[in-house]
Amino acid sequence: MNNIYSLIDRLIEISIENQMIYSIDKIYARNRILAILKLDNYEYTSTNLQYTLHETLNYILEYSLNSGLIEYYLYEKDILSSKIMNVFLNNPSIINEEFYKKYSSSPKEATDYFYNLSKNSNYIRTDRIQKNISYKTLTKYGDLDITINLSKPEKDPKEIAKQRKKENSKTSFTYPACPLCKESEGYEGRIDHADRSNHRMIELNINNEDWYLQYSPYSYYNEHCIVLSKEHTPMKISKNTFKNLLSFVEKFPHYFLGSNTDIPIVGGSILCHEHYQGGYYEFPMEKAEDEYTFNLSKYPTLNFSIINWPLSTIRIKGKKTEDIVEATNYIFNSWKTYEDKERHILPFTKRESHNAITPISRYKKGFYEMDIVLRNNRTSKEHPLGIFHPHADVQHIKKENIGLIEVMGLAVLPGRLLNELEEIKDFILNKSNSVKEYHLTFAEDLKKRYNNEKSLDLFIKDEVGLKFVRVLEDAGVFKRTDHGIEGFKKFISQL
């Protein structure tokens, strides 16, 4: 077994290499880690370990388990590793000061600094993210991004039982109010709230309001960031939303920023706290070309188009952000009350509102852009999970909400597919008949059509990608048919 003192020294060495601390901090850092690990002694060793950051942390966690410091629960291991890495991090005030010092030279230099810090402190779980299976599938809408999400480990049954026991106890927690709250910064964590000791945020002034920038611990794309409101207030799409998105892009022109809708089914997973998602990544949607251009006389400085995309999307381009805000708000308000019974689009059921939008902003080739994705969350007897939601025949691949990331062309598919697709391969090759019932129709169809023209792996990957196309088309309010496009143009003519 590795010597614990050698592991501590290696962790300190890595943190010096990553410029998180300086050599002068070595003894202080060592003593803080010794305290966290309940060690009263230190022994100098001559062992020259070459482990990576994650290997070193994992061996320290192994020691902590064997010594009884923690139990074999994922959340306990995560809490401990975050507490250890917090030793190497400065207070938020110092990190913010350094960020803005770099920002004065270049916004990209500032985000590079903060992104690397978030990775080097193990806040962004790069070791787990690397487990994801990611590839591209060529479709009639261009290349779509497919990811099978393996980064979030499944909870142990004992841990689930422990969490339920805690939830059923009289002890209830209201702090932090949600995972996105500012109060999560530096919070140790518990069984029902993620570890955040090594979490830092950057204060932002957006549209004369207080916001914070952080990165997602489980990034689905490059520099996957979250911009969150200082206040714990519910998601609300309004004219202010469009100002906020474009104000951010003005400050960080190399990043895009978008928002989920503010209603269930077509919204994100956290609707209780106002927030947006962005990053330094070109999504498939961004590459979508204009299919139909039009003008709105109210906004002569702007260019408008319907883009070639499975979800019904209007793109606005212009030089002045204030003009784009006004036009986006006009389209949004028009859509909120728009009705097209022939295409099952009803804006209200009694007092419940159904029409919403997913807005996405970016700066590209000298122009600001706003993509407005039209959404509707009505349900019916035939489609109880949503009329404009993945339909039953594709839910074996994707059943969850189609949020901002999927809207832009990146499929985040459940980890269960890893083994299930292997079963389908064996079924096609007559090695096994063991296929999940919900995949059976899909597997039988693939078996009929597979002809060895390409590898079975590639064939199945492409077929999963094409299923994702269907998922997105199901979510489109105006279908990609003559009837659907006619309906879309009818809405445009009303504008």
Side-chain angles (χ1 to χ4, degrees), residues 68-284:
L69 187 64
I70 57 172
E71 292 186 67
Y72 196 83
Y73 293 119
L74 178 64
Y75 83 95
E76 288 201 20
K77 291 193 283 185
D78 284 351
I79 285 172
L80 180 60
S81 64
S82 294
K83 281 170 73 174
I84 291 169
M85 291 310 298
N86 186 50
V87 168
F88 305 108
L89 279 168
N90 282 318
N91 286 343
S93 57
I94 297 171
I95 290 171
N96 273 262
E97 184 182 352
E98 184 66 23
F99 180 89
Y100 281 106
K101 193 187 295 179
K102 293 181 183 299
Y103 182 88
S104 63
S105 298
S106 156
K108 187 176 183 304
E109 188 179 329
T111 55
D112 284 350
Y113 155 74
F114 187 46
Y115 184 61
N116 287 324
L117 184 74
S118 300
K119 287 192 295 183
N120 292 334
S121 65
N122 200 41
Y123 172 70
I124 297 177
R125 305 274 183 171
T126 54
D127 59 328
R128 293 179 184 171
I129 294 165
Q130 286 170 357
K131 295 176 182 177
N132 290 344
I133 294 173
S134 300
Y135 63 94
K136 293 183 182 294
T137 294
L138 180 61
T139 74
K140 58 187 174 183
Y141 306 106
D143 283 332
L144 297 188
D145 295 331
I146 311 295
T147 294
I148 297 178
N149 181 21
L150 304 171
S151 58
K152 290 187 180 180
E154 291 186 27
K155 288 186 176 180
D156 181 274
K158 289 182 181 178
E159 187 173 339
I160 294 170
K162 188 176 181 182
Q163 183 168 341
R164 282 181 183 155
K165 187 177 179 181
K166 187 150 192 164
E167 288 167 353
N168 294 332
S169 71
K170 293 180 181 178
T171 307
S172 63
F173 296 94
T174 56
Y175 180 89
C178 83
L180 289 178
C181 278
K182 170 75 174 89
E183 288 74 21
S184 291
E185 187 177 39
Y187 188 71
E188 183 176 279
R190 54 181 192 261
I191 193 168
D192 60 344
H193 193 289
D195 51 292
R196 290 292 182 263
S197 296
N198 58 342
H199 179 32
R200 298 292 184 271
M201 299 181 183
I202 300 298
E203 292 187 355
L204 298 177
N205 181 289
I206 297 178
N207 190 24
N208 297 316
E209 294 177 353
D210 292 328
W211 292 76
Y212 293 90
L213 170 70
Q214 67 174 61
Y215 289 102
S216 169
Y218 293 98
S219 303
Y220 292 125
Y221 52 86
N222 188 50
E223 297 182 45
H224 180 177
C225 71
I226 298 169
V227 176
L228 55 102
S229 172
K230 181 180 180 181
E231 305 301 326
H232 179 70
T233 53
M235 291 279 290
K236 182 66 181 172
I237 300 289
S238 67
K239 185 176 180 179
N240 226 33
T241 305
F242 317 136
K243 285 182 182 177
N244 293 340
L245 296 180
L246 287 163
S247 175
F248 176 86
V249 171
E250 282 181 302
K251 290 177 184 290
F252 301 95
H254 59 299
Y255 274 13
F256 80 89
L257 194 68
S259 175
N260 275 303
T261 72
D262 53 0
I263 59 176
I265 297 178
V266 295
S269 57
I270 301 177
L271 295 178
C272 64
H273 195 121
E274 186 84 78
H275 72 285
Y276 314 125
Q277 294 182 79
Y280 189 36
Y281 187 71
E282 186 180 48
F283 276 86

Side-chain angles (χ1 to χ4, degrees), residues 24 61 95 111 138 216 339 398 430:
I24 196 172
L61 293 175
I95 290 171
T111 55
L138 180 61
S216 169
E339 180 174 296
K398 179 72 175 178
N430 294 316

Side-chain angles (χ1 to χ4, degrees), residues 295-324:
N295 296 309
L296 296 183
S297 57
K298 292 182 180 181
Y299 310 102
T301 65
L302 302 177
N303 298 316
F304 298 85
S305 63
I306 292 173
I307 62 171
N308 178 31
W309 195 244
L311 289 107
S312 311
T313 305
I314 296 169
R315 177 167 291 165
I316 307 175
K317 290 184 183 180
K319 294 276 189 180
K320 294 182 178 179
T321 58
E322 55 268 31
D323 291 349
I324 297 177

Side-chain angles (χ1 to χ4, degrees), residues 4-123:
I4 185 60
Y5 306 117
S6 299
L7 292 169
I8 293 170
D9 286 344
R10 175 59 184 150
L11 195 60
I12 293 168
E13 188 180 75
I14 291 167
S15 297
I16 292 172
E17 289 169 1
N18 288 337
Q19 300 181 326
M20 294 183 68
I21 61 169
Y22 299 99
S23 294
I24 196 172
D25 303 316
K26 187 184 290 187
I27 293 173
Y28 170 82
R30 177 197 298 147
N31 285 334
R32 297 319 308 147
I33 296 172
L34 289 173
I36 291 168
L37 298 178
K38 309 293 185 190
L39 292 167
D40 299 322
N41 190 30
Y42 172 74
E43 297 172 7
Y44 288 94
T45 65
S46 58
T47 310
N48 184 24
L49 300 177
Q50 296 299 315
Y51 297 139
T52 64
L53 169 65
H54 301 113
E55 288 169 341
T56 308
L57 275 174
N58 287 335
Y59 282 126
I60 290 174
L61 293 175
E62 188 179 298
Y63 162 84
S64 303
L65 284 166
N66 292 333
S67 63
L69 187 64
I70 57 172
E71 292 186 67
Y72 196 83
Y73 293 119
L74 178 64
Y75 83 95
E76 288 201 20
K77 291 193 283 185
D78 284 351
I79 285 172
L80 180 60
S81 64
S82 294
K83 281 170 73 174
I84 291 169
M85 291 310 298
N86 186 50
V87 168
F88 305 108
L89 279 168
N90 282 318
N91 286 343
S93 57
I94 297 171
I95 290 171
N96 273 262
E97 184 182 352
E98 184 66 23
F99 180 89
Y100 281 106
K101 193 187 295 179
K102 293 181 183 299
Y103 182 88
S104 63
S105 298
S106 156
K108 187 176 183 304
E109 188 179 329
T111 55
D112 284 350
Y113 155 74
F114 187 46
Y115 184 61
N116 287 324
L117 184 74
S118 300
K119 287 192 295 183
N120 292 334
S121 65
N122 200 41
Y123 172 70

Side-chain angles (χ1 to χ4, degrees), residues 85 104 119 200 330-331 334 361 486 493:
M85 291 310 298
S104 63
K119 287 192 295 183
R200 298 292 184 271
Y330 170 65
I331 293 170
S334 301
S361 62
E486 179 190 336
S493 68

Side-chain angles (χ1 to χ4, degrees), residues 257-397:
L257 194 68
S259 175
N260 275 303
T261 72
D262 53 0
I263 59 176
I265 297 178
V266 295
S269 57
I270 301 177
L271 295 178
C272 64
H273 195 121
E274 186 84 78
H275 72 285
Y276 314 125
Q277 294 182 79
Y280 189 36
Y281 187 71
E282 186 180 48
F283 276 86
M285 176 192 236
E286 186 178 333
K287 303 172 193 173
E289 296 181 353
D290 293 346
E291 188 172 75
Y292 170 73
T293 59
F294 61 95
N295 296 309
L296 296 183
S297 57
K298 292 182 180 181
Y299 310 102
T301 65
L302 302 177
N303 298 316
F304 298 85
S305 63
I306 292 173
I307 62 171
N308 178 31
W309 195 244
L311 289 107
S312 311
T313 305
I314 296 169
R315 177 167 291 165
I316 307 175
K317 290 184 183 180
K319 294 276 189 180
K320 294 182 178 179
T321 58
E322 55 268 31
D323 291 349
I324 297 177
V325 168
E326 293 296 332
T328 303
N329 195 51
Y330 170 65
I331 293 170
F332 173 53
N333 286 328
S334 301
W335 175 248
K336 278 198 293 187
T337 57
Y338 188 75
E339 180 174 296
D340 186 340
K341 289 182 181 178
E342 199 180 330
R343 294 166 184 84
H344 310 290
I345 299 167
L346 299 179
F348 303 104
T349 304
K350 295 180 181 177
R351 293 184 180 179
E352 185 184 356
S353 181
H354 295 303
N355 285 355
I357 65 168
T358 302
I360 302 131
S361 62
R362 66 182 75 88
Y363 181 74
K364 191 173 182 181
K365 296 179 180 177
F367 288 87
Y368 291 96
E369 294 184 355
M370 181 74 80
D371 284 349
I372 304 169
V373 187
L374 307 178
R375 314 296 302 275
N376 179 289
N377 77 342
R378 279 187 64 224
T379 60
S380 65
K381 286 184 179 179
E382 184 184 359
H383 302 294
L385 297 183
I387 296 171
F388 303 104
H389 179 81
H391 291 174
D393 63 324
V394 293
Q395 287 174 10
H396 65 105
I397 293 295

